[in-house]
Amino acid sequence: MGTPSNRPRFALILPAAGSGQRLGESIPKPYLSVAGRTILEHTLQPFVDTGALVHVVIPTEKNYIQTAKQCVASSFPALSFDVIQGGKERQYSIEKGLDAMKNAGIDAQWVAVHDAVRPFITVDEIQRCLDAAVQFGAAIVAVPAKDTIKMVDIDADHQTVAHRIEDTPPRAQCWQAQTPQIFDSSLLKQAYENARELSIVGTDDASLVEALDRDVYVVEGRRENFKITYPIDLTLTRWLLEGEEK
Ligand code: CTP
Ligand code: MG
């Protein structure tokens, strides 16, 4: 581990363009206010605190571009950032983020992708993930699965009643992917180009790099780095950040 000054510097894409369907709030998740700041600002803070962040691109829904700009400029006045219109799927939002970085002339060797709605990431996790990315070219934060994972048949007719189990991968080998996911920038660009050419839509960035047959490594994180997805996650977030049950 180096000091912030000799540590490799990285750029960040912070996808924030989702509509938050599963949470069911009237505004998108990153713009909900908790403990006096938006979730977006809480999430960005530890990345800024690494002292190694060179630039941030935030893809977001068109109507929230101004809001995002105001939040970031007021909380992080010294930060170099860009807010852009996101895409229909998370993958397309990130693809647009990579294009925006290129257009802005940002050529950081390391690019991190982190969900705008994982506010409990820590400086230590970001740094360990970055160190692994520098060593191996691609690394993600993940946690060992606590439940046994079942692969099920989702195409069967009776699926409204129950799903037939097809396979049970050994639990010790199952890890739940979180973010950040950090890559050598040329590898990540290549992975997104390949995904576009082959019409691959992945649920995370690592899977697109894996599709190139390139190795990606996991760094063990914490369960607190959950993604705010369902109402229970927002309740827990408020409780953790505000110190009381809401
Ligand atoms: N995201 C994005 N562009 C999209 C979809 C998602 O930038 N087209 C972002 C979200 O804003 C979020 C992150 O990707 O920060 C993870 O996505 P998810 O938790 O699925 O958020 P939503 O898509 O907003 O939620 P839902 O799937 O429940 O609608
Ligand atoms: Mg979504």
Side-chain angles (χ1 to χ4, degrees):
M1 299 261 286
T3 59
S5 57
N6 65 20
R7 182 172 289 283
R9 290 156 72 76
F10 67 98
L12 171 67
I13 299 175
L14 203 61
S19 57
Q21 214 103 72
R22 287 169 289 179
L23 187 64
E25 292 283 323
S26 56
I27 64 168
K29 300 184 281 192
Y31 305 104
L32 292 168
S33 182
V34 180
R37 294 215 290 180
T38 61
I39 288 169
L40 178 79
E41 290 163 272
H42 285 291
T43 305
L44 193 45
Q45 185 71 60
F47 287 91
V48 171
D49 290 346
T50 62
L53 179 61
V54 289
H55 186 78
V56 185
V57 176
I58 304 173
T60 202
E61 210 260 308
K62 201 166 69 186
N63 296 332
Y64 285 87
I65 290 177
Q66 282 313 318
T67 309
K69 283 183 179 168
Q70 281 159 12
C71 291
V72 177
S74 65
S75 264
F76 310 100
L79 185 65
S80 163
F81 74 95
D82 208 356
V83 179
I84 61 164
Q85 185 172 347
K88 212 163 166 260
E89 301 289 341
R90 181 186 185 277
Q91 184 170 322
Y92 306 144
S93 292
I94 290 156
E95 202 173 2
K96 287 180 166 207
L98 286 169
D99 288 344
M101 235 174 238
K102 188 177 167 197
N103 295 340
I106 307 293
D107 66 345
Q109 189 183 351
W110 307 103
V111 176
V113 180
H114 184 71
D115 295 322
V117 291
R118 289 188 190 267
F120 298 108
I121 190 67
T122 61
V123 170
D124 173 65
E125 285 161 318
I126 298 165
Q127 289 182 337
R128 285 190 296 110
C129 190
L130 182 58
D131 288 343
V134 170
Q135 190 172 348
F136 301 112
I140 72 169
V141 174
V143 289
K146 65 176 179 182
D147 298 315
T148 299
I149 304 296
K150 300 293 182 188
M151 309 278 292
V152 301
D153 176 6
I154 52 171
D155 295 325
D157 292 343
H158 54 268
Q159 65 169 301
T160 49
V161 179
H163 300 284
R164 188 181 58 81
I165 295 169
E166 288 186 329
D167 197 12
T168 303
R171 192 181 63 192
Q173 267 185 281
C174 292
W175 285 55
Q176 290 172 238
Q178 300 180 340
T179 64
Q181 304 198 343
I182 310 183
F183 308 91
D184 181 283
S185 65
S186 55
L187 176 61
L188 188 61
K189 278 180 222 154
Q190 196 191 334
Y192 270 83
E193 279 161 22
N194 181 63
R196 174 158 286 272
E197 277 164 27
L198 302 182
S199 301
I200 299 170
V201 180
T203 49
D204 74 347
D205 310 283
S207 59
L208 305 185
V209 175
E210 291 160 43
L212 291 174
D213 240 354
R214 298 287 295 266
D215 290 339
V216 182
Y217 286 73
V218 298
V219 164
E220 185 162 358
R222 295 146 45 253
R223 293 178 198 282
E224 286 84 347
N225 183 31
F226 59 85
K227 179 164 69 66
I228 302 171
T229 306
Y230 294 102
I232 183 66
D233 302 319
L234 183 60
T235 303
L236 186 56
T237 299
R238 291 200 188 285
W239 187 81
L240 288 168
L241 291 176
E242 295 173 350
E244 57 186 353
E245 208 158 349
K246 291 274 154 152

